[in-house]
Amino acid sequence: MAIKVSMISLGCSKNQVDAEHLLATLSDGGFELCRDVSESDVVVINTCGFIQSAKEEAIENILEIAELKKEGAVKGIVVTGCLAERYRDEIADEMEEVNVVLGIGANNRICEAVRKAAAGDRMTAYGKKEELDLSGKRILTTLPYYAYLKIAEGCDNCCTYCAIPQIRGRFRSRPMEELIDEAKWLAGQGVKELVVVAQDTTRYGEDLYGEYRLAALLKELCKIDGLRWIRTLYCYPDKITEDLIDTIAMEEKLVKYLDIPIQHCEEDILRKMNRPMDRDSLAALMEKLRNRIPGLTLRTTVMVGFPGETEEQFAALSEFVQEVRFDRLGCFSFSAEEGTVAEDMAGQVDEEEKKRREEIIMTQQSIIMEQLNQEKIGERQLCIVEGYDRYGECYFGRTAADAPDVDGKVFFTSEDQLKMGDFVKVRIEEVMDYDLVGVCVSYSL
């Protein structure tokens, strides 16, 4: 009888792609994949270890499955992903319920790991980070109409607060031909929205081709039949080329949406973060992007409470956010991560103060979002249908201005029966917090 395996994948979309490769390897290896952890022999927990909250979530999941193991509901636990890579033997030494710990360079040993766990044996394995295979089969875990395309692994930016280069290694792009083949396969699986991801998508191609090739890649992706929306996340502001701007503006399939984490606007803080640009150059970039790409949605992420951030510097960041009026914004507090340069920097900010600053930024952004959404009332927005809410008795979906998982929704009624992945025009009639409410007025082929 085949060993039954289920997977819990945590963290970012890039980690989710790794999980999809692991699932395909397990399926090809003769294992039976289960959705319900309580019905499986072995549970694989694909962890995130980026910041403290992610580590805590991973540990909570491990402990929950450990309880099921004690009760006899599951036989073994395998821990993979960033937490496994970052903390290696600590997990095996301190969490005896865990059978196997696999670093990311040992993902190709997942079948061996599951067999060991099912038998009650223990094992740890760590390969070189660059041995993580970025190609191969995937079993998609997203909703059927969209998928992520991971175009590179690792990061060379070495921001002083970030452990990703330690965990994932140097930046390495995937060959363009390989990416085109994978995107064609995804389209053949019914994927209509392709979300391009990497730790730094704008650096794509530099290591392989000696120049940034994201724009060239996007142009090729636009030629693929079946894909309707192509979205790019994790763009670094200093690597947004003129060619990339022109490509996003001109290519119909490229949604007018850019995710550009800036982290801060004050030059002193940015230099301490080892981040590029300053307030004036960032403001100029945002203005240029909006002028050159009509209808552009700008998303960013900012960090508060970085070591040495004064009240005046925080006030400047707050003012900048209000001036630029980003369409989408996330804010998180600095987390002193082990092994990073910023961990031991002078001027660490009190946790309560960091939380206060984070709440101020997010309150400001909620007001901006309310105003921007109010301006959409009466407009007809193209939406992709994600499902039906039985309690609200309405459909829900997203506009091109909303990325999966991180942005808002549109809730709407329809006289016609719709299915997941359909494109429809919705007339916006109300605003509900970060979401929109409307009525379907036409079906878009």
Side-chain angles (χ1 to χ4, degrees), residues 23-78:
L23 287 170
T25 302
L26 288 167
S27 179
D28 286 349
F31 298 91
E32 181 181 341
L33 303 182
C34 301
R35 291 185 179 274
D36 189 341
V37 295
S38 63
E39 295 180 359
S40 58
D41 300 309
V42 176
V43 180
V44 179
I45 306 173
N46 189 40
T47 60
C48 176
F50 176 45
I51 56 176
Q52 184 62 33
S53 59
K55 289 183 285 186
E56 291 171 357
E57 182 186 23
I59 292 168
E60 286 172 7
N61 274 271
I62 294 170
L63 294 176
E64 285 177 12
I65 303 304
E67 285 298 314
L68 290 177
K69 185 182 176 186
K70 288 177 183 178
E71 296 167 4
V74 299
K75 296 176 182 177
I77 301 172
V78 177

Side-chain angles (χ1 to χ4, degrees), residues 215 239-248 288 292:
K239 302 183 188 75
I240 296 177
T241 64
E242 295 297 313
D243 189 19
L244 180 60
I245 296 172
D246 289 340
T247 299
I248 294 171
K288 177 168 74 170
R292 298 264 296 276

Side-chain angles (χ1 to χ4, degrees), residues 272-309:
K272 288 173 69 176
M273 289 180 169
N274 195 33
R275 298 279 303 188
M277 308 182 75
D278 56 25
R279 180 172 181 152
D280 290 343
S281 58
L282 286 168
L285 173 64
M286 303 309 162
E287 183 178 9
K288 177 168 74 170
L289 290 170
R290 282 173 165 158
N291 287 337
R292 298 264 296 276
I293 309 173
L296 177 66
T297 295
L298 278 175
R299 161 172 269 283
T300 197
T301 306
V302 297
M303 179 191 295
V304 295
F306 189 81
E309 183 190 50

Side-chain angles (χ1 to χ4, degrees), residues 262-267 270 278-279 282 313 316-317 320:
I262 62 168
Q263 307 308 349
H264 216 282
C265 66
E266 289 297 277
E267 186 172 7
L270 288 169
D278 56 25
R279 180 172 181 152
L282 286 168
Q313 288 169 325
L317 174 63
F320 183 77

